[in-house]
Amino acid sequence: MRAFVVSDHGVPPKIKDLPEPVPGPGQVRIRIHACGLNFADLLMAKGTYQETPAPPFTLGMEIAGVVEALGEGVTAPALGSRVAVFEGSGGLAEAGVFSAARCVVIPDSMPFNEAAGFLVAYGTSHLALTDRARLQKGERLLVLGAAGGVGLTAVELGAAMGAEVIAVARGADKLAVAKAAGATHVIDSDTADLRAEVKALGGADVVYDAVGGDGFKAAMRATNPGGRLIVIGFASGDVPQIPANHLLVKNIDAIGFYWGGYLKWAPERLAASLADLMQMYEAGQLLPHIGAQRPLSDAADALELLRSRKVSGKVVVTI
């Protein structure tokens, strides 16, 4: 089978021929139809992600496909099931073995390309906004990186939860995508005085930040007393340092959030969140946005699109 393999950290990944894997106890083999890319894939290729496998390994954390073989002790999902899976690696390949316990059966109405970009993006925003930030109807939600893979889902889910959403993104095209996803207000990150514009709108009650850098600093200064800043990631490459005295004086919370961590310490909450999201999808309340799609042979180009942040929504590789 073909797979997109990292032979060593810092060396560009390449398509290689590998033997098809055999599922072990508790695993299933999946014929992969699509793989959703995440910012963590870029970090993993460089060896800087917090959970990077030892090379060689196949990139791709988030996949969708069909179960074609069961390992010892596995009774579900059944052979032939359409599933989505989030695991550490292995997705940019024609087949892979994954933990049966992590498989989520997807609705027949959900195409594989949407399913491959669904779990992490929507799962991150749903748990972050409900479980950690405790977003309430009528609050003002500020989303930084609002046209990115996770940011756009935060806009969509925040609007669905009854928040007044302020979306921050770069350029008119991305702002239009955020507006279509439910943003009440849009701000161009390239031209705006972010703090001043957010304050003029009444300030932020909750800040959702997947970017870091100067945007986080400006957003913190525009957060209302009693507000919550939720740290999702650092797409800018700049990890901001938070002055604790600002948190104290303004009575605000800085909250860390790592969706993958719930797999280890609160899997039941993650499962409940995904079940809610699947119901919302089937009810037509969620409309996943795929910004770009490439075949496996162009996986390097797909990663470059993600790195350059030239597309809105999710980047997906079809197998």
Side-chain angles (χ1 to χ4, degrees):
M1 69 172 193
R2 295 179 303 150
F4 193 58
V5 177
V6 175
S7 59
D8 201 358
H9 296 140
V11 176
K14 293 183 178 180
I15 299 287
K16 294 190 175 183
D17 289 321
L18 301 179
E20 290 215 347
V22 177
Q27 293 182 322
V28 296
R29 185 171 72 229
I30 294 174
R31 183 59 49 182
I32 300 171
H33 286 245
C35 178
L37 298 186
N38 294 277
F39 188 72
D41 291 310
L42 297 173
L43 300 179
M44 202 174 289
K46 295 191 297 183
T48 58
Y49 189 59
Q50 61 261 29
E51 295 183 6
T52 301
F57 64 92
T58 299
L59 275 179
M61 305 172 70
E62 189 178 15
I63 69 107
V66 176
V67 176
E68 64 175 12
L70 306 179
E72 181 183 347
V74 175
T75 57
L79 288 172
S81 296
R82 302 173 74 252
V83 296
V85 186
F86 169 80
E87 204 147 347
S89 59
L92 285 171
E94 293 177 325
V97 293
F98 304 93
S99 170
R102 291 194 178 186
C103 292
V104 178
V105 176
I106 60 176
D108 290 340
S109 60
M110 180 179 279
F112 286 118
N113 60 346
E114 290 188 4
F118 190 88
L119 297 188
V120 173
Y122 280 99
T124 293
S125 293
H126 187 262
L127 263 182
L129 293 177
T130 59
D131 196 65
R132 297 291 283 150
R134 309 175 305 282
L135 180 67
Q136 303 297 309
K137 183 177 180 180
E139 287 190 311
R140 196 170 295 111
L141 169 66
L142 174 64
V143 181
L144 305 183
V150 294
L152 195 60
T153 63
V155 172
E156 189 177 8
L157 287 167
M161 293 169 66
E164 179 184 338
V165 180
I166 306 170
V168 180
R170 180 179 289 116
D173 290 345
K174 290 185 176 182
L175 293 176
V177 170
K179 189 76 171 178
T184 308
H185 313 282
V186 294
I187 298 175
D188 193 321
S189 59
D190 272 349
T191 61
D193 179 338
L194 182 60
R195 179 197 180 199
E197 294 210 25
V198 174
K199 293 284 281 184
L201 292 170
D205 301 306
V206 173
V207 175
Y208 178 105
D209 179 29
V211 181
D214 291 338
F216 178 89
K217 299 170 190 175
M220 182 170 65
R221 297 176 70 191
T223 301
N224 292 327
R228 288 88 71 203
L229 299 99
I230 188 153
V231 178
I232 303 296
F234 315 104
S236 68
D238 182 355
V239 180
Q241 303 305 300
I242 302 172
N245 60 317
H246 288 201
L247 304 181
L248 182 152
V249 170
K250 296 188 71 175
N251 285 289
I252 58 179
D253 299 340
I255 303 168
F257 181 83
Y258 171 44
W259 185 79
Y262 275 70
L263 291 165
K264 298 177 181 178
W265 69 275
E268 72 288 347
R269 282 149 75 181
L270 186 146
S273 169
L274 290 177
D276 287 346
L277 287 166
M278 289 299 176
Q279 289 181 356
M280 293 177 73
Y281 179 90
E282 289 193 274
Q285 295 174 276
L286 303 177
L287 298 172
H289 181 81
I290 298 173
Q293 189 167 288
R294 296 289 187 273
L296 180 60
S297 57
D298 291 337
D301 177 56
L303 281 174
E304 183 55 37
L305 287 173
L306 186 67
R307 181 184 292 107
S308 66
R309 296 162 64 187
K310 290 181 179 178
V311 298
S312 57
K314 200 75 174 179
V315 178
V316 174
V317 173
T318 55
I319 315 296

